[in-house]
Amino acid sequence: MLLENIHPVAAAAFERAGFEVDARSGSLSEDELVAALPGVSVLGIRSNTTVTPAVLEAGKDLLAVGCFCIGTNQVHLDDAAARGLAVFNAPFSNTRSVVELVLGEIVALARRLTEKTQRMHEGVWDKSAKGSHEFRGRTLGIVGYGNIGTQLSNIAEAIGMRVIFFDTSDRLAHGNARRVGTLEELLAEADVVSIHVDGRPGNAGLFGAERFAMMKPGAVFINASRGMVVDDAALRDNILSGHLSGAAIDVFPLEPKAQGDPFESPLRGLDNVILTPHVGGSTQEAQEEIGHFVANKLLGFVGAGSTELSVNLPQVSAPQPHGTFRMGYLHENLPGVLAEINRLLAETGANVIGQSLSTRGEQGYVLTDTDAVLSEDTLSALRRSAQTIWLRSWQL
């Protein structure tokens, strides 16, 4: 089941692999997902569908969840891991698209294009340089220096901006960008503040009245990360007071569930605020790349046992098939599991062609290739082990 207008290349990839695909344009509520999941082995979502423990409990046939976007905070990852469900996302595929949107917004707000174009549509010729600036030489403050933040840093610097950044993790500065020690220091210095943090609970409410008051008078604020990071009512107050000269917001605390649904925000109606419907990564190029990337990760897991780049299970890259038989074994991370596996294999006379083990927290995962098909009795013996979460096998 693929929800929220996931690019058709994903459906095509699953169909080529023999899956029946139910592709839907909108998201589903918790109750709707609970009703729809029986018989579904792979669920594909974007950012507007929440996969709760109740949803996971209902997904008795579910093997994996694919987030066809950057974030995974819409999935209860710990509960998915406890049930042995792999979750994959696309951490890099739409980076460029988000960066280009942010750069375009910086130009538009610096030149007050939102106001100029609106007046032209109203038939008013307002040829004035008042409030219009070049961005060359201005300071861009990036909050969150991950994949998007670093690429934004590189391009902004290339077109003439000074770049400073703040991140709670130790990040290597790109080019001439300068790390600052505190968020408060960044806010006091930056002419443009652009937010690129993830959806962890600690980031909720990161920007409210107190933080906006710390920003440089006349600065511009951009949020293309997570809606829950910003108090939009406080942002409205700072726009109306003139403390901030403009803003561009792509994500919101509450977003409509489906195309064409009504949109409400305290930021509506402000002519120096750009509002976009969560389209930072929504370019044809990015969505097609995400469709390819996440679908291939899901198919690699279901079809060959690879957990490479899973965000919640131990990561094991499935080698090219060699041998006759492959076994994937997810288990509790306890001493002696690998020894037990190899003892059982030795008793059957099967030769191990390749074996990979990885652990993550309380779980371990082993992929084993053998030169002979393992008997159901051997597999059943492992399935009965107290530490077993699941065991799957493939003919190579």
Side-chain angles (χ1 to χ4, degrees):
M1 178 178 288
L2 302 177
L3 304 178
E4 302 183 67
N5 279 325
I6 290 169
H7 198 281
V9 297
F14 282 108
E15 287 168 350
R16 286 194 300 271
F19 285 79
E20 294 181 8
V21 178
D22 178 5
R24 307 191 186 189
S25 60
S27 59
L28 296 180
S29 68
E30 181 180 71
D31 289 344
E32 290 169 333
L33 269 176
V34 166
L37 277 182
V40 173
S41 56
V42 176
L43 174 65
I45 63 172
R46 294 177 70 189
S47 57
N48 225 7
T49 299
T50 301
V51 180
T52 64
V55 170
L56 294 170
E57 173 65 24
K60 302 295 186 183
D61 302 301
L62 202 58
L63 303 177
V65 176
C67 298
F68 287 73
C69 51
I70 293 177
T72 57
N73 57 296
Q74 68 273 42
V75 180
H76 199 289
L77 296 178
D78 290 341
D79 196 80
R83 297 171 185 276
L85 302 177
V87 179
F88 298 91
N89 68 334
F92 314 110
S93 300
N94 64 0
T95 299
R96 178 70 183 205
S97 294
V98 176
V99 168
E100 289 188 2
L101 177 67
V102 170
L103 289 169
E105 290 169 338
I106 292 173
V107 175
L109 291 168
R111 298 297 300 272
R112 303 189 78 85
L113 297 184
T114 53
E115 299 170 47
K116 298 296 185 185
T117 190
Q118 181 60 35
R119 293 201 175 191
M120 291 291 283
H121 281 290
E122 293 169 353
V124 177
W125 184 264
D126 181 20
K127 187 178 185 295
S128 168
K130 183 179 178 180
S132 181
H133 300 279
E134 294 183 356
F135 56 77
R136 179 181 55 177
R138 300 271 169 168
T139 298
L140 170 63
I142 300 173
V143 182
Y145 206 63
N147 297 325
I148 294 174
T150 51
Q151 187 166 153
L152 175 61
S153 173
N154 293 335
I155 300 177
E157 188 175 47
I159 59 177
M161 299 191 79
R162 296 174 58 247
V163 178
I164 59 176
F165 69 92
F166 173 76
D167 199 299
T168 55
S169 299
D170 190 15
R171 304 284 191 181
L172 178 67
H174 287 213
N176 294 316
R178 174 170 59 87
R179 183 190 186 106
V180 296
T182 65
L183 179 55
E184 290 71 22
E185 182 181 349
L186 181 143
L187 298 180
E189 186 176 346
D191 299 297
V192 179
V193 173
S194 190
I195 313 303
H196 301 285
V197 299
D198 60 25
R200 70 189 67 180
N203 286 330
L206 181 65
F207 271 81
E210 183 179 358
R211 290 262 162 74
F212 286 127
M214 296 176 184
M215 288 179 63
K216 190 175 179 179
V220 164
F221 180 79
I222 297 175
N223 181 23
S225 62
R226 299 290 187 276
M228 56 83 167
V229 171
V230 178
D231 180 345
D232 287 346
L235 176 57
R236 176 185 173 85
D237 291 342
N238 280 269
I239 294 290
L240 290 175
S241 71
H243 178 61
L244 301 181
S245 65
I249 306 298
D250 185 52
V251 287
F252 303 88
L254 294 174
E255 297 183 355
K257 288 291 185 183
Q259 187 86 353
D261 284 355
F263 165 69
E264 298 295 335
S265 170
L267 298 172
R268 285 179 52 191
L270 302 179
D271 59 7
N272 54 342
V273 174
I274 299 171
L275 301 178
T276 50
H278 204 148
V279 294
S282 294
T283 60
Q284 289 296 310
E285 294 85 353
Q287 291 306 306
E288 182 172 357
E289 176 59 29
I290 289 171
H292 279 299
F293 185 88
V294 179
N296 286 336
K297 291 301 174 188
L298 290 166
L299 288 168
F301 172 70
V302 174
S306 174
T307 54
E308 182 183 17
L309 296 185
S310 168
V311 299
N312 67 328
L313 295 188
Q315 294 194 25
V316 174
S317 299
Q320 289 297 315
H322 57 292
T324 302
F325 187 81
R326 174 170 292 169
M327 177 180 70
Y329 184 53
L330 185 68
H331 56 86
E332 295 177 8
N333 185 14
L334 299 171
V337 172
L338 190 60
E340 180 182 356
I341 292 172
N342 289 332
R343 178 185 61 79
L344 286 170
L345 293 177
E347 288 177 356
T348 68
N351 185 37
V352 175
I353 304 297
Q355 193 169 55
S356 300
L357 166 68
S358 179
T359 61
R360 182 176 190 152
E362 298 178 354
Q363 295 181 331
Y365 182 54
V366 186
L367 267 183
T368 302
D369 287 357
T370 62
D371 65 352
V373 176
L374 300 182
S375 70
E376 188 54 41
D377 288 343
T378 300
L379 298 178
S380 295
L382 271 178
R383 287 193 178 98
R384 289 193 300 269
S385 294
Q387 71 273 4
T388 299
I389 299 173
W390 54 251
L391 184 153
R392 298 184 187 126
S393 59
W394 301 267
Q395 297 271 350
L396 302 179

